[in-house]
Amino acid sequence: MTDIVQRGLWFEEFEIDARYLHRPGRTATEADNVLFTTLTMNTQALHLDAAFADAQKPFAARLINSMWTLSTMVGASVAQLTQGTLVAQLGFGEVAFPHPLFAGDTLYTESTVVEKRLSSSRPGQGIVRIAHTGRNQDGTVVATASRSVLVRCTPRGDDL
C-alpha cells in the first residue's frame, strides 16, 4: 500500500509565473457574513442590518465582509500551496476589493507565484511572494492581495 499525504509545495517547487486555480469555489452565505462579522466585532451596518444596507446606494444590499473575502481567498490556496510546508506568513502587500461580494455569490480563487528567494537568515527556508485574485461566478474580480510566506525547502535525509 502507498501512503499519499496532501501537502503544499516545498520552496523548490514554486515556479515564478505559475498560476494555481483553487477549486472548488466557495459560495458566500448570509450565515457566513453574520457569523464572521460578529466574531470579529465588526459592527458595520452594511454587513448586519438589512434595512439599513438595502437603503444605501449604490448596492442596496448587504455586502459580504471584505475580511471574510480575503480570509477565504487565502484559505482556498492553503491545500495546494502551503499545507504543511509553511513556516510563517510574513505579511500582506497590496489588498484591494474592486467589486463587492454578495450572499449567494461564489468566490473562485487563483494564485500566481510572483517571486521567490532563499532566506538569508534561515537555512533550509525560502520566501515566496504570491498574488491572489478572487473572482465571483461571473468572472468579476472582487479581491486581490499579495502576500509573502516563509516556506520550507525540500527536506534532506537528515531533516526527516
Side-chain angles (χ1 to χ4, degrees):
M1 174 185 289
T2 302
D3 290 334
I4 299 172
V5 177
Q6 183 174 346
R7 65 163 172 85
L9 303 176
W10 302 113
F11 174 78
E12 296 84 355
E13 294 174 309
F14 281 94
E15 295 180 31
I16 303 298
D17 294 329
R19 185 173 63 154
Y20 298 88
L21 306 177
H22 310 296
R23 299 297 184 264
R26 176 66 160 77
T27 301
T29 68
E30 295 272 351
D32 294 327
N33 195 41
V34 171
L35 178 62
F36 186 91
T37 299
T38 55
L39 283 174
T40 57
M41 299 179 64
N42 180 339
T43 60
Q44 177 53 253
L46 287 171
H47 304 310
L48 295 173
D49 185 331
F52 174 84
D54 290 351
Q56 302 303 307
K57 293 182 181 183
F59 303 114
R62 275 180 285 176
L63 307 178
I64 295 294
N65 187 312
S66 58
M67 294 296 101
W68 181 91
T69 304
L70 177 63
S71 297
T72 304
M73 186 170 67
V74 171
S77 74
V78 169
Q80 202 168 9
L81 298 181
T82 61
Q83 179 67 45
T85 58
L86 180 80
V87 176
Q89 178 149 277
L90 300 177
F92 284 91
E94 292 291 319
V95 176
F97 303 100
H99 189 275
L101 195 66
F102 299 100
D105 284 347
T106 300
L107 177 65
Y108 292 98
T109 302
E110 59 190 57
S111 302
T112 302
V113 178
V114 177
E115 64 183 342
K116 70 178 196 173
R117 67 174 177 82
L118 288 170
S119 172
S120 58
S121 61
R122 299 184 66 107
Q125 298 173 6
I127 297 169
V128 180
R129 190 161 59 91
I130 303 167
H132 300 287
T133 302
R135 299 176 191 275
N136 68 13
Q137 65 281 353
D138 299 322
T140 303
V141 174
V142 297
T144 58
S146 68
R147 71 180 178 128
S148 295
V149 293
L150 184 65
V151 296
R152 293 178 175 84
C153 293
T154 304
R156 302 178 317 242
D158 57 341
D159 293 336
L160 300 175

